[in-house]
């Protein structure tokens, strides 16, 4: 396992572009928002200083409205589509930052978790490392709060306690069955400017990636945003895709709680901490409100069709992250997570949660978010379970996650039955998960 940690550290160094770590060498040659947070979690045990740099780079691309964009483009790096020329945020969006080129959408708010891991690790070191971490926190605290405030306001204007997304990419789970119905409503216009995918020339088996039909819709949504100048208020009415994402909402509740804890411990302004506690409560309740009383399973909501979206995917477990279910419902949901519909399915190679249940009709064992096991999700559940006091469950996920990782490919996702590595190899956040587990 020290050897595995060394290989993971070597991988992150290899993907290091200087002040950012690319999400993966060829497929994702830039910085992705939630990837960067997980990467910082993995860098923290190696170097608190370098982990701080990673988050500083991300936050230097924060939009003027507070949004952290889903991609920060590395200077002069080609080979990814859609790149800056397709988004054109600086030209079209008054909120775009003056600094680096970015995309015009957001991604799940896991960043507070990274800040906490950095502060935790810094305490194991001497005064100068601790000072680096604390200086970072004091300097970036207002930006972190602005980020959370933007999510709570711009993405939950009606205060339902759930975050609205206007692009499946914002969920991080691009082609999950969760969004199939909502995407059926996205009809690409005849005037969708032509484009050429880059991903399928890198991942040579196209069935591991979203389909061309799906991509047309992804690009059409980008086009709708461009025409609305990426304006928060306009998006609420012009976008043909609008969903309340229960998983992102649970992550947000958790992140608000984590940030509030940090704020209390490191003496940040009381008013901020109070606001964060308030959001944590609102979003925890928003998540629980979607859950089935008996099974505890949570749902997304399609804002355009005005109907609930029930799927047997990771989304149903959102309340396990944020808490608040009745004891009975929570026990039922844990049983589902560990039982034969998910981690306990008899044919699984490792007892880790697949992105979609193997017994669901939507399950595709090799197709991106339609079935494969994503190590970073195993990490997130294992971290959250530890936080909730479920040490044994957390430990089991870690043990199984490390067994899966021992093939050394650090793949983006894995085939649940065979354990075959899929998608991009040398994915940074996979290495980062391993480093935190072994750190
Ligand atoms: C991609 O390009 O596949 C990413 O998931 C979009 O952010």
């Amino acid at each position: 396992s020290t050897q595995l940690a060394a290989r993971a550290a070597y991988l992150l160094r290899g993907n290091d572009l200087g002040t950012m770590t690319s999400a993966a060498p060829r497929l994702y040659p830039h910085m992705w928002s939630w990837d960067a947070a997980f990467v910082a979690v993995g860098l923290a045990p190696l170097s608190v200083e370098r982990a701080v740099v990673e988050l500083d780079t991300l936050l230097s691309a924060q939009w003027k409205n507070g949004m952290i964009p889903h991609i920060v483009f590395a200077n002069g790096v080609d080979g990814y589509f859609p790149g800056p020329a397709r988004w054109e945020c600086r030209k079209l969006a008054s909120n775009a930052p003056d600094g680096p080129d970015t995309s015009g959408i957001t991604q799940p708010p896991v960043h507070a978790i990274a800040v906490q891991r950095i502060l935790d690790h810094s305490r194991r070191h001497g005064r100068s490392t601790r000072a680096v971490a604390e200086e970072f926190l004091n300097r970036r605290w207002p930006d972190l709060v602005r980020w959370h405030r933007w999510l709570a306001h711009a993405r939950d204007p009606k205060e339902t306690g759930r975050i609205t997304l206007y692009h499946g990419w914002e969920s991080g789970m691009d082609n999950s069955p969760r969004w199939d119905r909502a995407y059926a409503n996205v009809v690409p216009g005849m005037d969708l400017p032509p484009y050429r995918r880059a991903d399928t020339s890198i991942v040579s088996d196209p069935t591991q990636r979203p389909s061309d039909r799906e991509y047309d819709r992804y690009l059409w949504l980008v086009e709708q945003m461009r025409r609305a100048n990426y304006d928060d208020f306009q998006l609420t009415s012009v976008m043909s895709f609008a969903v309340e994402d229960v998983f992102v909402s649970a992550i947000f509740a958790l992140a608000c709680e984590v940030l509030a804890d940090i704020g209390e411990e490191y003496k940040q302004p009381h008013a901020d901490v109070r606001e964060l506690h308030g959001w944590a409560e609102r979003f925890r309740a928003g998540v629980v409100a979607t859950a089935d009383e008996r099974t505890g399973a949570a749902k997304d909501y399609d804002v355009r069709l005005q109907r609930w979206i029930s799927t047997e995917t990771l989304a149903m477990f959102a309340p396990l992250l944020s808490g608040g279910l009745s004891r009975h419902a929570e026990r039922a949901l844990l049983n589902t997570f560990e039982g034969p519909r998910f981690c306990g399915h008899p044919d699984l190679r490792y007892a880790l949660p697949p992105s979609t249940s193997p017994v669901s009709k939507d399950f595709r064992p090799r197709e991106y978010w339609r079935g494969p096991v994503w190590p970073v999700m195993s990490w997130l559940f294992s971290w959250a379970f530890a936080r909730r006091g479920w040490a044994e469950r957390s430990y089991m996920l870690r043990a199984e996650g490390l067994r899966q990782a021992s093939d050394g490919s650090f793949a983006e996702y894995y085939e649940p039955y065979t354990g075959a590595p899929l998608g991009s190899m040398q994915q940074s956040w996979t290495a980062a998960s391993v480093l935190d587990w072994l750190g």
Side-chain angles (χ1 to χ4, degrees), residues 54-305:
E54 197 72 14
L55 293 186
D56 254 332
T57 300
L58 180 66
L59 287 166
S60 68
Q62 186 171 23
W63 282 35
K64 289 167 190 154
N65 55 357
M67 178 176 84
I68 296 184
H70 107 296
I71 302 177
V72 184
F73 290 106
N75 261 329
V77 172
D78 291 327
Y80 177 79
F81 180 84
R86 187 73 174 207
W87 292 97
E88 287 193 306
C89 291
R90 211 195 318 278
K91 178 169 143 205
L92 299 172
S94 55
N95 279 320
D98 304 321
D101 282 320
T102 73
S103 69
I105 58 175
T106 196
Q107 251 184 349
V110 289
H111 310 82
I113 301 173
V115 174
Q116 190 179 57
R117 295 305 287 143
I118 288 172
L119 291 165
D120 288 349
H121 281 283
S122 76
R123 281 198 293 268
R124 302 183 187 175
H125 294 271
R127 182 187 297 200
S128 72
T129 300
R130 284 208 306 273
V132 169
E134 285 171 29
E135 185 277 335
F136 165 78
L137 178 66
N138 292 332
R139 182 163 46 81
R140 289 301 191 179
W141 174 264
D143 299 332
L144 293 165
V145 175
R146 259 179 352 107
W147 160 227
H148 281 223
R149 185 173 295 121
W150 176 78
L151 285 162
H153 291 182
R155 292 309 183 91
D156 184 22
K158 295 190 181 138
E159 305 196 2
T160 61
R162 291 181 296 273
I163 302 271
T164 298
L165 305 182
Y166 298 109
H167 198 302
W169 282 342
E170 295 196 307
S171 72
M173 301 190 187
D174 308 0
N175 72 338
S176 170
R178 298 164 68 190
W179 315 135
D180 284 354
R181 262 195 102 99
Y183 269 123
N185 256 10
V186 177
V187 183
M190 298 299 285
D191 50 344
L192 173 65
Y195 68 94
R196 192 193 189 120
R197 293 175 66 168
D199 60 318
T200 37
S201 63
I202 295 167
V203 175
S204 54
D205 172 6
T207 66
Q208 295 174 25
R209 294 284 307 170
S211 67
D212 284 341
R213 267 170 71 92
E214 284 166 337
Y215 249 73
D216 276 350
R217 291 169 170 152
Y218 300 162
L219 269 300
W220 180 243
L221 293 180
V222 172
E223 195 54 31
Q224 290 188 317
M225 288 185 177
R226 288 172 44 94
R227 293 175 189 180
N229 297 104
Y230 301 98
D231 177 78
D232 284 332
F233 184 70
Q234 279 200 55
L235 296 187
T236 63
S237 57
V238 305
M239 296 303 294
S240 54
F241 180 102
V243 296
E244 290 174 4
D245 182 319
V246 76
F247 198 76
V248 165
S249 303
I251 286 176
F252 185 57
L254 193 54
C256 285
E257 200 178 271
V258 169
L259 202 54
D261 287 353
I262 293 171
E264 261 158 39
E265 190 173 347
Y266 290 87
K267 313 234 173 317
Q268 302 300 329
H270 280 307
D272 291 344
V273 171
R274 237 195 342 266
E275 219 176 356
L276 287 162
H277 277 308
W279 295 328
E281 226 168 275
R282 177 169 122 206
F283 283 84
R284 193 180 306 115
V287 169
V288 167
T290 76
D292 184 279
E293 252 173 65
R294 199 171 50 79
T295 66
K299 305 180 213 38
D300 299 298
Y301 183 73
D302 188 324
V303 178
R304 291 289 171 257
L305 295 175

Side-chain angles (χ1 to χ4, degrees), residues 325-362:
L325 287 178
S326 71
R327 276 176 72 100
H328 174 79
E330 186 157 90
R331 185 141 354 108
L333 194 55
L334 279 167
N335 284 340
T336 305
F337 185 83
E338 288 166 353
R341 304 184 84 80
F342 275 87
C343 302
H345 187 283
D347 298 330
L348 291 196
R349 178 82 187 266
Y350 304 107
L352 295 168
S355 45
T356 300
S357 167
V359 302
S360 156
K361 67 174 179 1
D362 299 319

Side-chain angles (χ1 to χ4, degrees), residues 254 319-325 330 383-391:
L254 193 54
L320 297 182
L321 301 179
S322 49
L325 287 178
E330 186 157 90
W383 176 85
F385 286 3
R387 182 174 165 89
R388 302 218 44 211
W390 303 333

